[in-house]
Amino acid sequence: MSGFTIGLAIIGGLVLAFIVAWNAWTTRRNTPRQPDAMTTIAATVPMENERTEPSFHDDLPLAPPPVERRPGLDALIDVLAPIVVDHPVPGEIALGALPPTRRAGSKSFAIEGRNDATQEWETPRPGQRYSAFQAGVQLANRSGALNDIEFSEFVMKAQAFADTVNGAPDFPEMRDEVARARELDQFAGTHDAQLSFTLRARNAAWSPGYVQQNAARLGFVAGAIPGRMVLPANVPGNPPILGLAFSTQAAMADDPAHSAIRDLTLSLDVPQVPRSEQPFVRMRDAAIALAASMDGLITDDDGRVIPVEALDAIGADLEKLYDTLDARDLSAGSAQARRLFS
């Protein structure tokens, strides 16, 4: 065999080796990363609704005078209408008089009774007797402020209940309550915060199992919807501390192992979670840990990489927001804040 032929053979072999290596690299890059061993994702925790981008402000409206705290209805965030009755009303009658829906427009509506035995305000229960009632409708939520139509619906529902239990309601002035609703809505709108970080794959995509395994190592569990995970609160029944979301379509694929995920979202609904849970610190640490273990980048919604210094600055702004909510008696994670920012 001539030297020329041998040279061609060597070159051909090198080209073939390069093609094989290129195909192997391309296949590996395009194949979603798989979990080492599937981690069981236990428990199902409901996800909260997705929220909007945060806004931080230093201005603080003056807090209202102290109001009587009650379990449920609260003069801080509800319109209250006392209902006087001549004689204690059995819980069965009160329950039968409740309207079929517990909303007035987009606002929550409720009736509470003062238990004749305990003198505590509560939702009517069978076997109890109630010496007074109060009707309430929420002043504001993330859908906006209570308006004239919703106030009128509240009056009709409360009046119908009062008529059934032979009670006499005392309604506040609509104009005053609607104005109070607008002020509260303005405060809520300028002190609401829903944060999110996007984690993007640097090179190889991720499979759903790979995402779930890495998130589970940080304490995340399966949410109520495929492609959703949550970091549960330390107190049972409280909203989750953090949310993690990736493609629902990928999670529900016939063969999830071959579903390619290139990004996921970590989210925090600030007013819903107590400061004591250190939610932002846990969000930041989770983002950094996932980026390291999954070869990802922490970015904003536009794909810009977020440096660690920027994360620290966001945390400092959040501390100011927590202080503002505390001063308004709407501390993050409190029953009042969870209802207002819902």
Side-chain angles (χ1 to χ4, degrees):
M1 182 179 294
S2 67
F4 176 75
T5 303
I6 294 174
L8 287 178
I10 293 173
I11 293 173
L14 291 174
V15 170
L16 180 61
F18 173 78
I19 292 173
V20 171
W22 172 263
N23 287 337
W25 180 84
T26 302
T27 300
R28 181 179 178 184
R29 186 177 187 275
N30 293 330
T31 300
R33 296 189 178 194
Q34 304 298 322
D36 299 328
M38 284 304 296
T39 301
T40 301
I41 309 298
T44 298
V45 183
M47 286 291 296
E48 296 297 307
N49 293 332
E50 294 183 359
R51 310 301 185 188
T52 56
E53 289 302 312
S55 175
F56 303 105
H57 295 263
D58 294 330
D59 56 308
L60 171 63
L62 294 177
V67 293
E68 181 183 359
R69 283 288 178 268
R70 296 181 177 123
L73 290 175
D74 191 312
L76 184 65
I77 59 172
D78 293 303
V79 177
L80 296 181
I83 300 173
V84 178
V85 292
D86 294 334
H87 304 286
V89 177
E92 290 79 1
I93 293 178
L95 286 170
L98 293 176
T101 61
R102 302 294 189 270
R103 303 195 75 80
S106 65
K107 308 302 182 294
S108 62
F109 168 88
I111 297 284
E112 290 182 341
R114 189 167 61 208
N115 191 300
D116 195 39
T118 66
Q119 295 299 300
E120 296 289 335
W121 291 95
E122 64 184 26
T123 300
R125 295 181 293 141
Q128 304 298 312
R129 295 170 66 82
Y130 298 93
S131 56
F133 295 94
Q134 61 180 1
V137 65
Q138 195 162 318
L139 286 163
N141 56 23
R142 279 175 170 155
S143 297
L146 181 77
N147 57 41
D148 293 359
I149 295 176
E150 291 170 328
F151 185 92
S152 298
E153 185 177 347
F154 157 66
V155 170
M156 288 189 294
K157 288 179 181 286
Q159 185 66 62
F161 173 85
D163 291 343
T164 303
V165 299
N166 294 319
D170 182 14
F171 296 106
E173 289 292 330
M174 180 174 70
R175 182 179 303 176
D176 295 339
E177 295 303 305
V178 169
R180 194 160 68 97
R182 289 172 180 164
E183 188 277 332
L184 182 61
D185 180 60
Q186 182 179 14
F187 171 83
T190 55
H191 296 88
D192 200 351
Q194 304 90 46
L195 298 174
S196 65
F197 297 149
T198 299
L199 194 66
R200 301 185 188 278
R202 288 177 183 267
N203 296 300
W206 310 312
S207 68
Y210 185 76
V211 173
Q212 291 168 341
Q213 182 181 70
N214 280 275
R217 288 169 178 159
L218 300 178
F220 285 84
V221 299
I225 301 173
R228 301 293 185 271
M229 301 181 73
V230 295
L231 184 64
N234 291 324
V235 178
N238 279 358
I241 298 171
L242 302 175
L244 183 153
F246 57 91
S247 170
T248 299
Q249 183 177 0
M252 297 181 66
D254 293 336
D255 187 0
H258 289 86
S259 296
I261 298 170
R262 300 208 63 85
D263 58 73
L264 59 83
T265 302
L266 276 173
S267 59
L268 164 61
D269 192 343
V270 176
Q272 295 287 326
V273 184
R275 191 191 329 208
S276 60
E277 294 272 20
Q278 294 188 303
F280 181 75
V281 172
R282 299 174 78 169
M283 182 183 188
R284 180 197 64 195
D285 292 350
I288 293 172
L290 288 172
S293 65
M294 297 170 61
D295 190 24
L297 293 171
I298 304 171
T299 73
D300 60 18
D301 291 340
D302 296 323
R304 294 185 293 262
V305 175
I306 302 176
V308 175
E309 309 83 65
L311 298 181
D312 294 337
I314 294 172
D317 282 339
L318 276 181
E319 288 302 316
K320 297 177 184 177
L321 176 60
Y322 285 130
D323 291 340
T324 299
L325 293 175
D326 290 346
R328 185 64 187 253
D329 208 9
L330 289 167
S331 298
S334 66
Q336 293 83 8
R338 287 168 55 187
R339 288 180 57 207
L340 177 61
F341 297 97
S342 66

